Amino acid sequence: MTTKHVILCALAMVLSTTSAFAQNGVNSPYSRYGFGILSDRAMGFNKAMAGVAQGFRDGQQINTANPASYSAIDSLTALFDLGVSLYNGNYEMGNLKQNAKNTSFDYFAFQFRARKNVGITVGILPYSNINYSFSSSAETLKGNETVTSSYSFTGNGGIHKVFLGAGWRILRPISIGVNGSFLFGDYTHTSKMAFSETAAYSMVRGYDANISTWAVDFGLQYIQPISKKDKITVGATYGLGHDINNRATRYSQTLNSSSAVQGVTRDTLKNAFQLPHSFDVGITYEHGTKWRVGADVSLEKWSDSKFPTEVGGKYLIAKNQLFDRKKIALGGEYTPNPTGRYLSRMSYRLGAYYSQSYAKADNTGVVTDKPIEYGITAGFVLPIQNRNLWHNSPKINVSFQWVHTDIPYLNSMNSSQSKLKENYLKLCLGLTFSERWFYKWKVQ
């Protein structure tokens, strides 16, 4: 494939995913809580390795998880990376079961070398996604069995992340980096209670907010050679937590039988949110260009972050409304022969992870279990043959993910703990290609 064809393929993928970017990529009732379902923020190279990335360092892959890795890019190369995902989700809540399919835009990033030992990366990633719609069956009112009530819940929105980062190799074994990001998005949650009696009023309760803030993540990598072919890389990142100076709004509406608004009350909270302090650390072991394995551990301190809540009917800001998000991941990659025949030049990847999710589905204290998530990932890399010997070969990253979540919630029917179970099958496709933009040609 020529450079022209690669660029045309990339543009086609960008155009085809524009509508997917506007969508959310999830259909989960759990996205009703917190900022929604947090994105894995993985790139094409590590989606099949359960997102392991802190110690990964490769001049032919863009690793946005640790900005210190940007310094690995060579002086002649410019990298482009973009990806999309296809989802098939199954949801089970008691006797209720539902299946949903969706697509999502995963990421776009561009990386180049600014000067010796300094790499620059710019891109866009989803931060969180919200998308759900469900309703309850008719319930008979106590004391008046001739009237029934029904409830419906809908929500949509999400947060996106645009970033600019730099990585600098300050010493031969040590690199540092920083990502500066702008987060933007919104959310809307609406619940409606209606009655079978035509003369009765309906009630609508809504929550919304517009989010726009900054974020900074610092990265570090240390390389320790063991032999001529073997080395260990230790990586770590820290994300700075801070206040988000945005407002959150709760409103209540009373509607008559013709859906005309009869009354509205509105409560607004200023400086209602906080981003958490986050910590990630990982280690990677590499044997030449054949294989590498790694492990990451991460912690996001959401319990210390402010978030809007309701207590005794009042709308207010409080901490401890969310759980700390914890994750451990293992992953690896094997390439039989990077310079051999096509099948031996393919890379094969495998990974697994376990995490505790951050969003509480109950703030009353009745539910004591925490939401958990775990998954298995696998995939491979398809090199695209490039007849132009002056350019590196583009790659298609293919990954498959199976994800299971257990989400405890308060069942309003019997005031006891119930569980929402979700299972996802994901197909993730990413295109990575590099161009030798900075090669200096000589004429003899």
Side-chain angles (χ1 to χ4, degrees), residues 101-150:
K101 296 178 174 63
N102 215 329
T103 60
S104 70
F105 170 81
D106 287 342
Y107 60 85
F108 174 78
F110 168 57
Q111 184 178 99
F112 63 95
R113 197 185 86 153
R115 54 174 298 177
K116 185 178 180 180
N117 296 324
V118 177
I120 302 294
T121 302
V122 61
I124 183 169
L125 298 164
Y127 184 84
S128 69
N129 298 308
I130 299 172
N131 187 29
Y132 64 90
S133 178
F134 61 95
S135 59
S136 67
S137 57
E139 301 175 12
T140 302
L141 294 183
K142 292 182 179 181
N144 191 348
E145 284 70 20
T146 61
V147 179
T148 59
S149 62
S150 60

Side-chain angles (χ1 to χ4, degrees), residues 247-325:
R247 297 182 179 184
T249 301
R250 180 186 73 172
Y251 63 89
S252 301
Q253 293 179 338
T254 304
L255 310 179
N256 62 19
S257 58
S258 301
S259 297
V261 178
Q262 299 298 299
V264 179
T265 60
R266 187 177 296 269
D267 300 295
T268 300
L269 303 175
K270 297 181 179 180
N271 194 20
F273 309 97
Q274 277 184 315
L275 285 182
H277 295 280
S278 62
F279 309 87
D280 298 81
V281 63
I283 185 170
T284 298
Y285 181 81
E286 298 183 49
H287 176 72
T289 56
K290 278 197 170 184
W291 58 267
R292 54 183 175 178
V293 293
D296 282 2
V297 177
S298 63
L299 170 64
E300 297 178 7
K301 294 290 293 179
W302 286 99
S303 63
D304 295 333
S305 301
K306 296 184 301 183
F307 203 83
T309 187
E310 290 180 310
V311 178
K314 295 183 179 180
Y315 194 48
L316 49 84
I317 303 169
K319 294 186 177 182
N320 292 312
Q321 302 307 305
L322 304 168
F323 294 117
D324 289 340
R325 189 189 191 204

Side-chain angles (χ1 to χ4, degrees), residues 187-409:
Y187 69 71
T188 300
H189 302 284
T190 304
S191 59
K192 182 177 181 180
M193 179 175 64
F195 299 95
S196 59
E197 175 61 49
T198 57
Y201 284 2
S202 300
M203 304 294 295
V204 176
R205 174 67 60 84
Y207 308 85
D208 58 59
N210 289 295
I211 306 298
S212 60
T213 188
W214 55 272
V216 178
D217 299 281
F218 303 94
L220 171 70
Q221 285 187 330
Y222 175 80
I223 304 172
Q224 178 60 58
I226 300 176
S227 66
K228 290 184 178 180
K229 289 187 175 181
D230 301 294
K231 64 180 179 180
I232 291 176
T233 303
V234 178
T237 57
Y238 164 67
L240 179 64
H242 63 86
D243 286 352
I244 300 177
N245 190 22
N246 293 139
R247 297 182 179 184
T249 301
R250 180 186 73 172
Y251 63 89
S252 301
Q253 293 179 338
T254 304
L255 310 179
N256 62 19
S257 58
S258 301
S259 297
V261 178
Q262 299 298 299
V264 179
T265 60
R266 187 177 296 269
D267 300 295
T268 300
L269 303 175
K270 297 181 179 180
N271 194 20
F273 309 97
Q274 277 184 315
L275 285 182
H277 295 280
S278 62
F279 309 87
D280 298 81
V281 63
I283 185 170
T284 298
Y285 181 81
E286 298 183 49
H287 176 72
T289 56
K290 278 197 170 184
W291 58 267
R292 54 183 175 178
V293 293
D296 282 2
V297 177
S298 63
L299 170 64
E300 297 178 7
K301 294 290 293 179
W302 286 99
S303 63
D304 295 333
S305 301
K306 296 184 301 183
F307 203 83
T309 187
E310 290 180 310
V311 178
K314 295 183 179 180
Y315 194 48
L316 49 84
I317 303 169
K319 294 186 177 182
N320 292 312
Q321 302 307 305
L322 304 168
F323 294 117
D324 289 340
R325 189 189 191 204
K326 304 172 184 177
K327 180 180 179 181
I328 181 170
L330 305 171
E333 176 186 68
Y334 174 66
T335 308
N337 186 356
T339 59
R341 295 183 178 182
Y342 188 82
L343 290 179
S344 63
R345 287 191 289 117
M346 292 176 57
S347 296
Y348 303 90
R349 295 164 174 165
L350 188 66
Y353 74 92
Y354 175 88
S355 70
Q356 293 183 355
S357 301
Y358 81 112
K360 288 184 180 181
D362 169 48
N363 288 321
T364 64
V366 174
V367 175
T368 56
D369 293 344
K370 295 183 179 180
I372 61 171
E373 176 182 319
Y374 52 86
I376 300 173
T377 62
F380 52 87
V381 183
L382 298 172
I384 302 175
Q385 183 64 39
N386 193 334
R387 295 180 180 178
N388 187 341
L389 299 180
W390 295 105
H391 295 79
N392 296 325
S393 177
K395 301 176 181 66
I396 296 178
N397 297 284
V398 181
S399 65
F400 304 92
Q401 301 176 338
W402 173 78
V403 178
H404 174 81
T405 62
D406 283 333
I407 304 158
Y409 70 95

Side-chain angles (χ1 to χ4, degrees), residues 43 62-64 70 79-83 105 107-111 121-125 163 431 433:
M43 306 294 285
I62 302 177
N63 178 10
T64 59
Y70 301 160
L79 294 174
F80 298 83
D81 204 348
L82 56 92
F105 170 81
Y107 60 85
F108 174 78
F110 168 57
Q111 184 178 99
T121 302
V122 61
I124 183 169
L125 298 164
F163 69 92
L431 174 63
F433 62 95

Side-chain angles (χ1 to χ4, degrees), residues 155-174:
N156 58 77
I159 302 174
H160 309 295
K161 178 179 181 180
V162 178
F163 69 92
L164 172 64
W168 177 29
R169 189 170 184 171
I170 57 176
L171 297 172
R172 185 173 182 83
I174 300 176

